[in-house]
Amino acid sequence: MSNELLKSDVTAEALIAKAQRDGVETMWDRKAAQKTQCGFGEAGVCCRICAMGPCRVSPVPGKGAERGICGANAGTIVARNFVRMIAGGASAHSDHARDIVHAMHLASAEGPFKIRDEAKMRRIAAEWGIEAADTKETYALAHELAEMALEEFGKPFGTQRFLTRAPQQRQDIWKRERMEPRAIDQEITTIMHSTHIGCASDIDSLLNRGMRASLGDGWGGSMIGTEFSDILYGTPKACASESNLGVIDAEMVNIVLHGHDPNLAEVVVVASKNPELLELAKSLGAKGINVVGMCCTGNEVTMRHGIKIAGNFYQQELAIITGAIEAVIVDVQCIFPALPALAKKYHTHFVSTSQKAKIAGDMYIEFSESDALNCAYGIVKTAVENFANRDASKVEIPNFKEPTIAGYSVETIIDHLDKVVNSQLEDKLGTVKPLSDVIYAGVIRGAAGVVGCNNPKTEHDLGHVTVIKELIKRDVIVVVTGCAAQAAAKVGLLTLEAKELCGRGLKEVCERVNIPPVLHMGSCVDCSRILDLVSRVAVEKGVDICDLPVVGSAPEWMSEKAVSIASYVVASGINTYLGIIPQVLGSVEFTELLNEGVRANVGAVYVFEKDPLVAVEKMMVDIEEKRTALGI
Ligand code: SF4
Ligand code: FE2
């Protein structure tokens, strides 16, 4: 075993041992090869923004160079690096969303892209002020709405349309702070401009711009990604699935869908049910075609089709090491460049499909939305044919999997609440009032969104699982997305039975509403569902988001996208607890700004806490203080 951090994960243990027997490397080997990681980079004080550099300044005041050649100090360098991470993350979420909207622009009654949630489309069309939104012909409206959404990325005037979903108090804060995001692309471009050599050096101004771009992600790109995916592929409903590498089936053709974009995954799921391909699989000795998900592409198809979850970010190599994967089909984001070489050590085809994520050494089959079904058919056929090349002596699938319930969109949560209040109370149906009432009554103390990735700086999944278990024990309902959701799934937390791990109040709510205490709300872009849910509670109670006993948590984050998410969650008024410390500690001033200073601007802060147990204690103090301030 290359890393002691693996000690508690038996699934990983078995496959890491197999990796060693098979002579293949994993991320833990490469992590070990890095030895001690660069201290300047870790502190965020290395700058290579211009060719006078790279410059590195001392993370310790009074020791070594305090300024880069242009005169930038630690604060400026750290702040520029941090907000460039936001720009990277916001661009990834938003560019993904743009692809979804383009697919909707191609939608037609004949398919393959169809309008599957027409009611939602009409609701959003009305929200955005389209005339006759309730009567227009379905596809005429779809195309008009898609064009409007595409304009959100580059419109020359105005701010993001979905901002008006936030409570008025929050919108007023954004206006006061000049933080209302304009066009999504503009905010990202502005960051790249502001952080160019010789532009912004003021850390408050840099963070302000970073937060504005992150809001353009959360309330712009990500929210568009979520809502338009729902229109196109259906709004998720609670559905049963299974999770962990044990869902890989030795007797089937196994296809792993990895990445983030549902456009490709949706048609691969359709193609995998094609009778000709099923016949081909059987003719080669397989019992069928088993499509499984990984990372957020997995979450997207789990939420809508119950597709089984093979694993989260850290398991992408382990899945191939089982020796039972005919193809890993990837779209964009969070895909290790190491995968093609690893796949070649087995019989696995590593198929990349997007120009945006062309990966050296791949089998490249470009996915085109305009020829989606043919494209997916070809990719799945390649996988099926590869079954003949499987080497049975190399197959070892850990026998671990857990039942999982996913699919808790805001609409589904409201639907569950409606079923409870329907017969008894005078509560309005179709609102979050029953949820906000149980929080205000103290039956549930508060709510937490636990999101984000895995990171080999910490034991994978341990932070997610510890934070979630400790919160539900303390009567805090938890919503999850991304790899955090999959971590919870793999230990059985996304089940009705998980109520047994809850405090008395939350257990009672789970029983009455018939939900797990941990609600899988989707992929990383679906953190926008969390914003929507929290906003509805705040609006319903007439308070701002920052007044509510609600926290955000990213125990094991690693990506730029996570920095953008953390930033828009904070800018939306929710204290956000990060289990991995961002690369900012080289500037005392910027660290203080994140941890405390920004509270004066947006009413929330970034909290750094590596220890998940201590983090939960801090979250509970936070939640109880909010309750006291509300007088509840
Ligand atoms: Fe050095 Fe300034 Fe150039 Fe950064 S921008 S590399 S600190 S000279
Ligand atoms: Fe993700």
Side-chain angles (χ1 to χ4, degrees):
M1 177 148 319
S2 57
N3 190 313
E4 60 167 14
L5 292 178
L6 295 172
K7 60 186 178 294
S8 76
D9 187 326
V10 280
T11 316
E13 258 182 22
L15 287 170
I16 292 288
K18 181 172 189 292
Q20 288 178 341
R21 285 199 309 278
D22 293 350
V24 298
E25 68 169 33
T26 65
M27 72 167 174
W28 294 283
D29 298 307
R30 294 188 295 275
K31 169 91 166 58
Q34 289 286 321
K35 301 205 167 68
T36 307
Q37 288 177 289
C38 171
F40 292 96
E42 185 73 49
V45 289
C46 175
C47 182
R48 45 158 296 280
I49 278 175
C50 88
M52 293 192 286
C55 300
R56 51 187 204 185
V57 300
S58 173
V60 184
K63 271 193 170 181
E66 289 191 19
R67 290 180 182 274
I69 294 167
C70 68
N73 63 14
T76 296
I77 293 173
V78 165
R80 287 193 304 211
N81 288 340
F82 186 79
V83 301
R84 279 195 170 203
M85 288 188 86
I86 295 176
S91 75
H93 284 146
S94 302
D95 209 33
H96 157 169
R98 188 189 339 244
D99 285 346
I100 302 293
V101 183
H102 271 298
M104 181 160 145
H105 200 255
L106 290 171
S108 67
E110 297 74 46
F113 300 112
K114 295 183 184 176
I115 299 307
R116 292 193 168 78
D117 190 340
E118 184 161 339
K120 183 166 207 166
M121 175 177 75
R122 293 192 185 279
R123 272 202 312 277
I124 292 173
E127 183 181 346
W128 283 10
I130 293 183
E131 277 181 25
D134 51 343
T135 53
K136 266 195 184 147
E137 192 277 323
T138 304
Y139 286 91
L141 183 62
H143 299 154
E144 186 177 348
L145 186 61
E147 275 179 32
M148 272 178 104
L150 289 171
E151 281 166 9
E152 291 301 284
F153 294 86
K155 62 188 182 185
F157 307 108
T159 55
Q160 285 300 300
R161 291 179 182 276
F162 279 138
L163 296 184
T164 52
R165 289 182 169 188
Q168 190 58 50
Q169 302 92 316
R170 186 59 20 192
Q171 294 181 50
D172 292 344
I173 286 173
W174 291 334
K175 188 178 281 298
R176 183 191 75 202
E177 298 295 324
R178 296 172 67 197
M179 239 182 233
E180 295 164 296
R182 302 157 299 166
I184 297 160
D185 292 351
Q186 183 181 5
E187 296 305 351
I188 294 163
T189 303
T190 295
I191 285 190
M192 298 313 285
H193 181 183
S194 285
T195 56
H196 188 277
I197 163 82
C199 276
S201 65
D202 182 279
I203 61 171
D204 297 282
S205 170
L206 280 161
L207 184 61
N208 174 283
R209 263 147 217 287
M211 287 191 142
R212 190 166 66 183
S214 75
L215 289 167
D217 173 356
W219 295 84
S222 282
M223 203 165 275
I224 291 171
T226 296
E227 297 288 49
F228 284 68
S229 295
D230 285 357
I231 293 170
L232 209 47
Y233 301 121
T235 300
K237 294 187 169 59
C239 62
S241 185
E242 289 180 320
S243 304
N244 214 344
L245 290 168
V247 305
I248 296 168
D249 189 327
E251 298 184 324
M252 311 259 275
V253 172
N254 291 300
I255 296 176
V256 175
L257 290 173
H258 177 24
H260 281 77
D261 183 338
N263 280 348
L264 166 69
E266 283 283 335
V267 279
V268 167
V269 171
V270 173
S272 71
K273 294 176 180 153
N274 181 296
E276 280 170 36
L277 292 175
L278 287 167
E279 207 42 56
L280 178 63
K282 284 181 185 150
S283 73
L284 292 168
K287 282 196 172 159
I289 303 172
N290 183 36
V291 176
V292 296
M294 184 150 279
C295 287
C296 283
T297 296
N299 283 323
E300 296 277 357
V301 285
T302 300
M303 291 272 283
R304 296 196 177 89
H305 305 287
I307 294 287
K308 293 172 183 175
I309 298 171
N312 51 0
F313 178 73
Y314 86 88
Q315 285 168 299
Q316 57 186 288
E317 292 177 301
L318 303 183
I320 295 174
I321 292 166
T322 64
I325 306 297
E326 275 55 59
V328 178
I329 303 172
V330 303
D331 45 76
V332 290
Q333 302 167 23
C334 300
I335 304 148
F336 284 175
L339 294 191
L342 178 66
K344 285 192 179 91
K345 300 272 187 180
Y346 298 88
H347 74 300
T348 307
H349 286 328
F350 175 82
V351 184
S352 86
T353 58
S354 168
Q355 255 192 342
K356 293 173 197 172
K358 174 81 182 71
I359 297 170
D362 55 7
M363 173 188 279
Y364 184 62
I365 305 177
E366 190 164 314
F367 176 69
S368 150
E369 272 89 357
S370 59
D371 190 28
L373 266 183
N374 279 334
C375 214
Y377 181 93
I379 295 171
V380 175
K381 186 162 183 260
T382 305
V384 172
E385 286 168 346
N386 196 26
F387 185 76
N389 298 321
R390 192 191 286 181
D391 177 351
S393 72
K394 281 194 173 176
V395 173
E396 185 180 318
I397 304 169
N399 188 25
F400 298 111
K401 58 182 177 186
E402 287 290 332
T404 297
I405 309 177
Y408 290 96
S409 56
V410 174
E411 292 83 346
T412 295
I413 293 172
I414 290 175
D415 193 43
H416 273 72
L417 296 172
D418 278 354
K419 282 184 183 134
V420 181
V421 297
N422 206 359
S423 53
Q424 22 182 322
L425 303 170
E426 72 285 359
D427 284 338
K428 284 178 289 172
L429 290 179
T431 74
V432 293
K433 186 170 185 303
L435 174 64
S436 43
D437 282 353
V438 286
I439 293 174
Y440 268 55
V443 181
I444 294 177
R445 304 306 293 171
V450 182
V451 307
C453 333
N454 297 117
N455 187 323
K457 284 182 176 170
T458 185
E459 183 173 345
H460 46 266
D461 288 355
L462 184 68
H464 294 309
V465 172
T466 306
V467 165
I468 294 169
K469 279 188 172 172
E470 293 299 320
L471 285 171
I472 62 174
K473 199 196 285 179
R474 292 164 172 78
D475 285 323
V476 173
I477 191 164
V478 175
V479 295
V480 286
T481 61
C483 288
Q486 294 168 330
K490 287 183 286 171
V491 293
L493 285 167
L494 307 188
T495 58
L496 298 176
E497 293 69 36
K499 70 179 185 208
E500 301 303 335
L501 302 171
C502 299
R504 235 177 61 200
L506 180 56
K507 182 179 174 183
E508 189 191 318
V509 169
C510 290
E511 279 168 352
R512 287 187 61 200
V513 188
N514 197 32
I515 51 171
V518 185
L519 300 175
H520 188 322
M521 291 191 82
S523 62
C524 298
V525 292
D526 292 335
C527 289
S528 67
R529 296 190 202 274
I530 302 177
L531 293 180
D532 186 11
L533 184 65
V534 175
S535 275
R536 286 173 193 244
V537 172
V539 168
E540 200 270 319
K541 288 294 178 193
V543 299
D544 190 5
I545 294 172
C546 66
D547 298 322
L548 293 172
V550 168
V551 294
S553 165
E556 303 178 31
W557 71 275
M558 59 84 206
S559 72
E560 291 173 321
K561 293 178 290 178
V563 182
S564 181
I565 294 171
S567 298
Y568 72 63
V569 172
V570 172
S572 299
I574 300 171
N575 291 329
T576 299
Y577 294 75
L578 302 175
I580 302 290
I581 314 292
Q583 292 139 345
V584 298
L585 297 183
S587 165
V588 175
E589 291 77 17
F590 192 68
T591 302
E592 194 281 332
L593 178 61
L594 296 182
N595 293 163
E596 189 49 47
V598 76
R599 192 191 305 276
N601 306 96
V602 295
V605 295
Y606 305 74
V607 182
F608 303 161
E609 181 49 67
K610 286 184 184 174
D611 184 327
L613 288 171
V614 177
V616 170
E617 293 310 325
K618 289 181 179 175
M619 288 179 216
M620 292 312 298
V621 170
D622 187 344
I623 283 170
E624 293 302 329
E625 281 177 1
K626 294 277 169 77
R627 298 191 66 88
T628 305
L630 280 172
I632 59 175

